[in-house]
Amino acid sequence: MSVNQGKADMSVWDKEEALSRLMDSPALLDEACRIFVEESEQQLPVMARQLADADYADLAREAHKMKGSAGNLAALELYQHALTLEQAAKQDATEQATAALASIKEGLARFCAQLTH
């Protein structure tokens, strides 16, 4: 996967901010994005299972982990959705957590699209 040099949707991803956090190295950014996407794709079914099992404590921890990774990459939309999921899980709010998890799935798709445009 290679991070395109085109203009990213700032509501999804602040590519310039992410790049600056990684010593302005496109190679480091490519690698960090690849790892983030792989880890996120592994986290989604884990979080879905935790939600189905009403395992809110572990769901909150998993959402917190994703929130941190998204924040590090300036993946703004995913950060916000992960924060929402974390807060919903801490409140045992099934409906809100379900909606937030769906938003994370959609947001990850938009983030990945930014990487290939």
PDB file of all heavy atoms in Angstrom, residues 55-86:
ATOM      1  N   ASP A  55     -19.508  -7.690  26.726  1.00  0.00           N
ATOM      2  CA  ASP A  55     -18.235  -7.587  27.440  1.00  0.00           C
ATOM      3  C   ASP A  55     -17.741  -6.146  27.305  1.00  0.00           C
ATOM      4  O   ASP A  55     -16.799  -5.841  26.574  1.00  0.00           O
ATOM      5  CB  ASP A  55     -17.233  -8.581  26.851  1.00  0.00           C
ATOM      6  CG  ASP A  55     -15.921  -8.628  27.606  1.00  0.00           C
ATOM      7  OD1 ASP A  55     -15.743  -7.824  28.551  1.00  0.00           O
ATOM      8  OD2 ASP A  55     -15.069  -9.459  27.242  1.00  0.00           O
ATOM      9  N   TYR A  56     -18.419  -5.261  28.022  1.00  0.00           N
ATOM     10  CA  TYR A  56     -18.190  -3.838  27.837  1.00  0.00           C
ATOM     11  C   TYR A  56     -16.817  -3.374  28.314  1.00  0.00           C
ATOM     12  O   TYR A  56     -16.259  -2.454  27.729  1.00  0.00           O
ATOM     13  CB  TYR A  56     -19.297  -3.034  28.523  1.00  0.00           C
ATOM     14  CG  TYR A  56     -20.640  -3.266  27.890  1.00  0.00           C
ATOM     15  CD1 TYR A  56     -21.638  -3.959  28.562  1.00  0.00           C
ATOM     16  CD2 TYR A  56     -20.903  -2.808  26.606  1.00  0.00           C
ATOM     17  CE1 TYR A  56     -22.873  -4.180  27.971  1.00  0.00           C
ATOM     18  CE2 TYR A  56     -22.126  -3.026  26.002  1.00  0.00           C
ATOM     19  CZ  TYR A  56     -23.109  -3.709  26.692  1.00  0.00           C
ATOM     20  OH  TYR A  56     -24.312  -3.934  26.103  1.00  0.00           O
ATOM     21  N   ALA A  57     -16.279  -3.990  29.344  1.00  0.00           N
ATOM     22  CA  ALA A  57     -14.968  -3.573  29.840  1.00  0.00           C
ATOM     23  C   ALA A  57     -13.896  -3.828  28.775  1.00  0.00           C
ATOM     24  O   ALA A  57     -13.074  -2.947  28.488  1.00  0.00           O
ATOM     25  CB  ALA A  57     -14.628  -4.308  31.127  1.00  0.00           C
ATOM     26  N   ASP A  58     -13.903  -5.025  28.186  1.00  0.00           N
ATOM     27  CA  ASP A  58     -12.920  -5.324  27.141  1.00  0.00           C
ATOM     28  C   ASP A  58     -13.189  -4.509  25.885  1.00  0.00           C
ATOM     29  O   ASP A  58     -12.254  -4.088  25.201  1.00  0.00           O
ATOM     30  CB  ASP A  58     -12.912  -6.820  26.820  1.00  0.00           C
ATOM     31  CG  ASP A  58     -12.189  -7.638  27.884  1.00  0.00           C
ATOM     32  OD1 ASP A  58     -11.451  -7.045  28.704  1.00  0.00           O
ATOM     33  OD2 ASP A  58     -12.372  -8.865  27.908  1.00  0.00           O
ATOM     34  N   LEU A  59     -14.461  -4.271  25.576  1.00  0.00           N
ATOM     35  CA  LEU A  59     -14.806  -3.447  24.417  1.00  0.00           C
ATOM     36  C   LEU A  59     -14.272  -2.027  24.600  1.00  0.00           C
ATOM     37  O   LEU A  59     -13.716  -1.445  23.664  1.00  0.00           O
ATOM     38  CB  LEU A  59     -16.321  -3.439  24.201  1.00  0.00           C
ATOM     39  CG  LEU A  59     -16.840  -2.604  23.040  1.00  0.00           C
ATOM     40  CD1 LEU A  59     -16.244  -3.062  21.713  1.00  0.00           C
ATOM     41  CD2 LEU A  59     -18.366  -2.654  22.991  1.00  0.00           C
ATOM     42  N   ALA A  60     -14.418  -1.489  25.789  1.00  0.00           N
ATOM     43  CA  ALA A  60     -13.904  -0.138  26.052  1.00  0.00           C
ATOM     44  C   ALA A  60     -12.389  -0.103  25.890  1.00  0.00           C
ATOM     45  O   ALA A  60     -11.845   0.846  25.304  1.00  0.00           O
ATOM     46  CB  ALA A  60     -14.304   0.316  27.452  1.00  0.00           C
ATOM     47  N   ARG A  61     -11.702  -1.138  26.372  1.00  0.00           N
ATOM     48  CA  ARG A  61     -10.239  -1.193  26.225  1.00  0.00           C
ATOM     49  C   ARG A  61      -9.838  -1.296  24.756  1.00  0.00           C
ATOM     50  O   ARG A  61      -8.883  -0.642  24.308  1.00  0.00           O
ATOM     51  CB  ARG A  61      -9.661  -2.371  27.016  1.00  0.00           C
ATOM     52  CG  ARG A  61      -9.509  -2.080  28.489  1.00  0.00           C
ATOM     53  CD  ARG A  61      -8.724  -3.165  29.204  1.00  0.00           C
ATOM     54  NE  ARG A  61      -9.480  -4.396  29.366  1.00  0.00           N
ATOM     55  CZ  ARG A  61     -10.369  -4.621  30.319  1.00  0.00           C
ATOM     56  NH1 ARG A  61     -10.634  -3.685  31.208  1.00  0.00           N
ATOM     57  NH2 ARG A  61     -10.999  -5.768  30.400  1.00  0.00           N
ATOM     58  N   GLU A  62     -10.542  -2.108  23.994  1.00  0.00           N
ATOM     59  CA  GLU A  62     -10.217  -2.277  22.577  1.00  0.00           C
ATOM     60  C   GLU A  62     -10.485  -0.980  21.806  1.00  0.00           C
ATOM     61  O   GLU A  62      -9.700  -0.576  20.948  1.00  0.00           O
ATOM     62  CB  GLU A  62     -11.026  -3.437  21.993  1.00  0.00           C
ATOM     63  CG  GLU A  62     -10.452  -4.048  20.764  1.00  0.00           C
ATOM     64  CD  GLU A  62      -9.141  -4.794  20.992  1.00  0.00           C
ATOM     65  OE1 GLU A  62      -8.892  -5.322  22.094  1.00  0.00           O
ATOM     66  OE2 GLU A  62      -8.346  -4.844  20.035  1.00  0.00           O
ATOM     67  N   ALA A  63     -11.583  -0.324  22.120  1.00  0.00           N
ATOM     68  CA  ALA A  63     -11.902   0.954  21.479  1.00  0.00           C
ATOM     69  C   ALA A  63     -10.859   2.007  21.848  1.00  0.00           C
ATOM     70  O   ALA A  63     -10.457   2.811  20.999  1.00  0.00           O
ATOM     71  CB  ALA A  63     -13.303   1.410  21.887  1.00  0.00           C
ATOM     72  N   HIS A  64     -10.416   1.991  23.099  1.00  0.00           N
ATOM     73  CA  HIS A  64      -9.391   2.937  23.543  1.00  0.00           C
ATOM     74  C   HIS A  64      -8.089   2.727  22.766  1.00  0.00           C
ATOM     75  O   HIS A  64      -7.439   3.690  22.351  1.00  0.00           O
ATOM     76  CB  HIS A  64      -9.153   2.768  25.045  1.00  0.00           C
ATOM     77  CG  HIS A  64      -8.126   3.699  25.593  1.00  0.00           C
ATOM     78  ND1 HIS A  64      -8.409   5.008  25.895  1.00  0.00           N
ATOM     79  CD2 HIS A  64      -6.814   3.516  25.867  1.00  0.00           C
ATOM     80  CE1 HIS A  64      -7.309   5.592  26.338  1.00  0.00           C
ATOM     81  NE2 HIS A  64      -6.324   4.710  26.334  1.00  0.00           N
ATOM     82  N   LYS A  65      -7.747   1.469  22.548  1.00  0.00           N
ATOM     83  CA  LYS A  65      -6.536   1.140  21.785  1.00  0.00           C
ATOM     84  C   LYS A  65      -6.650   1.673  20.350  1.00  0.00           C
ATOM     85  O   LYS A  65      -5.715   2.287  19.832  1.00  0.00           O
ATOM     86  CB  LYS A  65      -6.362  -0.388  21.788  1.00  0.00           C
ATOM     87  CG  LYS A  65      -4.978  -0.864  21.532  1.00  0.00           C
ATOM     88  CD  LYS A  65      -4.798  -2.315  21.959  1.00  0.00           C
ATOM     89  CE  LYS A  65      -5.492  -3.280  21.046  1.00  0.00           C
ATOM     90  NZ  LYS A  65      -5.168  -4.674  21.318  1.00  0.00           N
ATOM     91  N   MET A  66      -7.808   1.444  19.733  1.00  0.00           N
ATOM     92  CA  MET A  66      -8.015   1.936  18.367  1.00  0.00           C
ATOM     93  C   MET A  66      -7.995   3.461  18.340  1.00  0.00           C
ATOM     94  O   MET A  66      -7.424   4.067  17.430  1.00  0.00           O
ATOM     95  CB  MET A  66      -9.323   1.417  17.777  1.00  0.00           C
ATOM     96  CG  MET A  66      -9.570   1.911  16.363  1.00  0.00           C
ATOM     97  SD  MET A  66     -11.070   1.253  15.640  1.00  0.00           S
ATOM     98  CE  MET A  66     -10.462  -0.315  15.040  1.00  0.00           C
ATOM     99  N   LYS A  67      -8.590   4.072  19.339  1.00  0.00           N
ATOM    100  CA  LYS A  67      -8.622   5.535  19.419  1.00  0.00           C
ATOM    101  C   LYS A  67      -7.202   6.092  19.455  1.00  0.00           C
ATOM    102  O   LYS A  67      -6.889   7.056  18.751  1.00  0.00           O
ATOM    103  CB  LYS A  67      -9.407   5.977  20.656  1.00  0.00           C
ATOM    104  CG  LYS A  67      -9.496   7.474  20.851  1.00  0.00           C
ATOM    105  CD  LYS A  67     -10.197   7.814  22.141  1.00  0.00           C
ATOM    106  CE  LYS A  67      -9.249   7.556  23.293  1.00  0.00           C
ATOM    107  NZ  LYS A  67      -9.758   7.967  24.599  1.00  0.00           N
ATOM    108  N   GLY A  68      -6.343   5.478  20.249  1.00  0.00           N
ATOM    109  CA  GLY A  68      -4.955   5.931  20.335  1.00  0.00           C
ATOM    110  C   GLY A  68      -4.220   5.796  19.019  1.00  0.00           C
ATOM    111  O   GLY A  68      -3.515   6.713  18.589  1.00  0.00           O
ATOM    112  N   SER A  69      -4.394   4.655  18.371  1.00  0.00           N
ATOM    113  CA  SER A  69      -3.731   4.433  17.078  1.00  0.00           C
ATOM    114  C   SER A  69      -4.240   5.405  16.028  1.00  0.00           C
ATOM    115  O   SER A  69      -3.462   5.969  15.258  1.00  0.00           O
ATOM    116  CB  SER A  69      -3.961   2.996  16.617  1.00  0.00           C
ATOM    117  OG  SER A  69      -3.378   2.087  17.511  1.00  0.00           O
ATOM    118  N   ALA A  70      -5.543   5.619  16.012  1.00  0.00           N
ATOM    119  CA  ALA A  70      -6.131   6.561  15.046  1.00  0.00           C
ATOM    120  C   ALA A  70      -5.635   7.975  15.322  1.00  0.00           C
ATOM    121  O   ALA A  70      -5.301   8.721  14.392  1.00  0.00           O
ATOM    122  CB  ALA A  70      -7.657   6.499  15.106  1.00  0.00           C
ATOM    123  N   GLY A  71      -5.548   8.332  16.587  1.00  0.00           N
ATOM    124  CA  GLY A  71      -5.059   9.657  16.946  1.00  0.00           C
ATOM    125  C   GLY A  71      -3.625   9.866  16.515  1.00  0.00           C
ATOM    126  O   GLY A  71      -3.268  10.931  16.014  1.00  0.00           O
ATOM    127  N   ASN A  72      -2.806   8.840  16.692  1.00  0.00           N
ATOM    128  CA  ASN A  72      -1.401   8.945  16.287  1.00  0.00           C
ATOM    129  C   ASN A  72      -1.250   9.188  14.797  1.00  0.00           C
ATOM    130  O   ASN A  72      -0.310   9.857  14.367  1.00  0.00           O
ATOM    131  CB  ASN A  72      -0.634   7.683  16.683  1.00  0.00           C
ATOM    132  CG  ASN A  72      -0.406   7.588  18.169  1.00  0.00           C
ATOM    133  OD1 ASN A  72      -0.435   8.585  18.881  1.00  0.00           O
ATOM    134  ND2 ASN A  72      -0.193   6.378  18.653  1.00  0.00           N
ATOM    135  N   LEU A  73      -2.169   8.649  14.006  1.00  0.00           N
ATOM    136  CA  LEU A  73      -2.110   8.817  12.553  1.00  0.00           C
ATOM    137  C   LEU A  73      -2.968   9.979  12.056  1.00  0.00           C
ATOM    138  O   LEU A  73      -3.120  10.162  10.856  1.00  0.00           O
ATOM    139  CB  LEU A  73      -2.558   7.531  11.851  1.00  0.00           C
ATOM    140  CG  LEU A  73      -1.490   6.481  11.687  1.00  0.00           C
ATOM    141  CD1 LEU A  73      -2.067   5.248  11.006  1.00  0.00           C
ATOM    142  CD2 LEU A  73      -0.311   7.002  10.905  1.00  0.00           C
ATOM    143  N   ALA A  74      -3.542  10.726  12.974  1.00  0.00           N
ATOM    144  CA  ALA A  74      -4.430  11.843  12.621  1.00  0.00           C
ATOM    145  C   ALA A  74      -5.588  11.364  11.746  1.00  0.00           C
ATOM    146  O   ALA A  74      -6.047  12.071  10.864  1.00  0.00           O
ATOM    147  CB  ALA A  74      -3.658  12.987  11.947  1.00  0.00           C
ATOM    148  N   ALA A  75      -6.052  10.144  12.024  1.00  0.00           N
ATOM    149  CA  ALA A  75      -7.248   9.602  11.363  1.00  0.00           C
ATOM    150  C   ALA A  75      -8.438  10.129  12.162  1.00  0.00           C
ATOM    151  O   ALA A  75      -8.964   9.468  13.064  1.00  0.00           O
ATOM    152  CB  ALA A  75      -7.207   8.076  11.332  1.00  0.00           C
ATOM    153  N   LEU A  76      -8.822  11.349  11.855  1.00  0.00           N
ATOM    154  CA  LEU A  76      -9.738  12.118  12.684  1.00  0.00           C
ATOM    155  C   LEU A  76     -11.104  11.477  12.848  1.00  0.00           C
ATOM    156  O   LEU A  76     -11.637  11.409  13.958  1.00  0.00           O
ATOM    157  CB  LEU A  76      -9.881  13.527  12.101  1.00  0.00           C
ATOM    158  CG  LEU A  76      -8.563  14.264  11.855  1.00  0.00           C
ATOM    159  CD1 LEU A  76      -8.807  15.587  11.145  1.00  0.00           C
ATOM    160  CD2 LEU A  76      -7.792  14.444  13.136  1.00  0.00           C
ATOM    161  N   GLU A  77     -11.669  10.998  11.758  1.00  0.00           N
ATOM    162  CA  GLU A  77     -12.994  10.385  11.816  1.00  0.00           C
ATOM    163  C   GLU A  77     -12.962   9.111  12.658  1.00  0.00           C
ATOM    164  O   GLU A  77     -13.811   8.907  13.529  1.00  0.00           O
ATOM    165  CB  GLU A  77     -13.497  10.074  10.402  1.00  0.00           C
ATOM    166  CG  GLU A  77     -14.856   9.411  10.398  1.00  0.00           C
ATOM    167  CD  GLU A  77     -15.321   9.007   9.011  1.00  0.00           C
ATOM    168  OE1 GLU A  77     -14.490   8.847   8.090  1.00  0.00           O
ATOM    169  OE2 GLU A  77     -16.535   8.834   8.863  1.00  0.00           O
ATOM    170  N   LEU A  78     -11.972   8.266  12.418  1.00  0.00           N
ATOM    171  CA  LEU A  78     -11.871   7.019  13.184  1.00  0.00           C
ATOM    172  C   LEU A  78     -11.610   7.300  14.659  1.00  0.00           C
ATOM    173  O   LEU A  78     -12.135   6.597  15.526  1.00  0.00           O
ATOM    174  CB  LEU A  78     -10.773   6.134  12.604  1.00  0.00           C
ATOM    175  CG  LEU A  78     -11.189   5.391  11.337  1.00  0.00           C
ATOM    176  CD1 LEU A  78      -9.976   4.767  10.670  1.00  0.00           C
ATOM    177  CD2 LEU A  78     -12.230   4.339  11.654  1.00  0.00           C
ATOM    178  N   TYR A  79     -10.808   8.289  14.943  1.00  0.00           N
ATOM    179  CA  TYR A  79     -10.565   8.674  16.327  1.00  0.00           C
ATOM    180  C   TYR A  79     -11.888   8.994  17.014  1.00  0.00           C
ATOM    181  O   TYR A  79     -12.170   8.518  18.116  1.00  0.00           O
ATOM    182  CB  TYR A  79      -9.617   9.883  16.390  1.00  0.00           C
ATOM    183  CG  TYR A  79      -9.420  10.398  17.797  1.00  0.00           C
ATOM    184  CD1 TYR A  79      -8.412   9.878  18.602  1.00  0.00           C
ATOM    185  CD2 TYR A  79     -10.247  11.380  18.325  1.00  0.00           C
ATOM    186  CE1 TYR A  79      -8.232  10.331  19.910  1.00  0.00           C
ATOM    187  CE2 TYR A  79     -10.089  11.829  19.619  1.00  0.00           C
ATOM    188  CZ  TYR A  79      -9.081  11.301  20.412  1.00  0.00           C
ATOM    189  OH  TYR A  79      -8.923  11.742  21.697  1.00  0.00           O
ATOM    190  N   GLN A  80     -12.709   9.815  16.372  1.00  0.00           N
ATOM    191  CA  GLN A  80     -13.975  10.241  16.969  1.00  0.00           C
ATOM    192  C   GLN A  80     -14.915   9.054  17.165  1.00  0.00           C
ATOM    193  O   GLN A  80     -15.558   8.925  18.215  1.00  0.00           O
ATOM    194  CB  GLN A  80     -14.641  11.321  16.113  1.00  0.00           C
ATOM    195  CG  GLN A  80     -15.838  11.938  16.786  1.00  0.00           C
ATOM    196  CD  GLN A  80     -15.491  12.578  18.127  1.00  0.00           C
ATOM    197  OE1 GLN A  80     -14.579  13.378  18.225  1.00  0.00           O
ATOM    198  NE2 GLN A  80     -16.221  12.224  19.170  1.00  0.00           N
ATOM    199  N   HIS A  81     -15.005   8.173  16.177  1.00  0.00           N
ATOM    200  CA  HIS A  81     -15.892   7.005  16.301  1.00  0.00           C
ATOM    201  C   HIS A  81     -15.401   6.054  17.398  1.00  0.00           C
ATOM    202  O   HIS A  81     -16.207   5.488  18.136  1.00  0.00           O
ATOM    203  CB  HIS A  81     -16.000   6.258  14.974  1.00  0.00           C
ATOM    204  CG  HIS A  81     -16.699   7.034  13.908  1.00  0.00           C
ATOM    205  ND1 HIS A  81     -17.846   7.770  14.116  1.00  0.00           N
ATOM    206  CD2 HIS A  81     -16.417   7.188  12.592  1.00  0.00           C
ATOM    207  CE1 HIS A  81     -18.234   8.344  12.991  1.00  0.00           C
ATOM    208  NE2 HIS A  81     -17.371   8.007  12.044  1.00  0.00           N
ATOM    209  N   ALA A  82     -14.085   5.880  17.497  1.00  0.00           N
ATOM    210  CA  ALA A  82     -13.537   5.011  18.545  1.00  0.00           C
ATOM    211  C   ALA A  82     -13.788   5.620  19.923  1.00  0.00           C
ATOM    212  O   ALA A  82     -14.092   4.899  20.881  1.00  0.00           O
ATOM    213  CB  ALA A  82     -12.053   4.767  18.308  1.00  0.00           C
ATOM    214  N   LEU A  83     -13.680   6.940  20.035  1.00  0.00           N
ATOM    215  CA  LEU A  83     -13.988   7.618  21.289  1.00  0.00           C
ATOM    216  C   LEU A  83     -15.449   7.391  21.656  1.00  0.00           C
ATOM    217  O   LEU A  83     -15.776   7.081  22.810  1.00  0.00           O
ATOM    218  CB  LEU A  83     -13.691   9.117  21.163  1.00  0.00           C
ATOM    219  CG  LEU A  83     -14.133  10.009  22.336  1.00  0.00           C
ATOM    220  CD1 LEU A  83     -13.425   9.602  23.615  1.00  0.00           C
ATOM    221  CD2 LEU A  83     -13.879  11.467  22.001  1.00  0.00           C
ATOM    222  N   THR A  84     -16.338   7.528  20.700  1.00  0.00           N
ATOM    223  CA  THR A  84     -17.761   7.308  20.933  1.00  0.00           C
ATOM    224  C   THR A  84     -18.012   5.876  21.389  1.00  0.00           C
ATOM    225  O   THR A  84     -18.785   5.640  22.331  1.00  0.00           O
ATOM    226  CB  THR A  84     -18.571   7.623  19.661  1.00  0.00           C
ATOM    227  OG1 THR A  84     -18.341   8.995  19.300  1.00  0.00           O
ATOM    228  CG2 THR A  84     -20.061   7.393  19.865  1.00  0.00           C
ATOM    229  N   LEU A  85     -17.359   4.919  20.744  1.00  0.00           N
ATOM    230  CA  LEU A  85     -17.519   3.516  21.128  1.00  0.00           C
ATOM    231  C   LEU A  85     -16.986   3.291  22.540  1.00  0.00           C
ATOM    232  O   LEU A  85     -17.628   2.609  23.347  1.00  0.00           O
ATOM    233  CB  LEU A  85     -16.814   2.598  20.129  1.00  0.00           C
ATOM    234  CG  LEU A  85     -16.854   1.110  20.447  1.00  0.00           C
ATOM    235  CD1 LEU A  85     -18.295   0.604  20.567  1.00  0.00           C
ATOM    236  CD2 LEU A  85     -16.095   0.318  19.385  1.00  0.00           C
ATOM    237  N   GLU A  86     -15.842   3.848  22.838  1.00  0.00           N
ATOM    238  CA  GLU A  86     -15.264   3.693  24.173  1.00  0.00           C
ATOM    239  C   GLU A  86     -16.223   4.232  25.240  1.00  0.00           C
ATOM    240  O   GLU A  86     -16.481   3.572  26.251  1.00  0.00           O
ATOM    241  CB  GLU A  86     -13.923   4.425  24.244  1.00  0.00           C
ATOM    242  CG  GLU A  86     -13.251   4.332  25.590  1.00  0.00           C
ATOM    243  CD  GLU A  86     -11.955   5.126  25.684  1.00  0.00           C
ATOM    244  OE1 GLU A  86     -11.678   5.968  24.796  1.00  0.00           O
ATOM    245  OE2 GLU A  86     -11.224   4.906  26.659  1.00  0.00           O
TER     246      GLU A  86
END
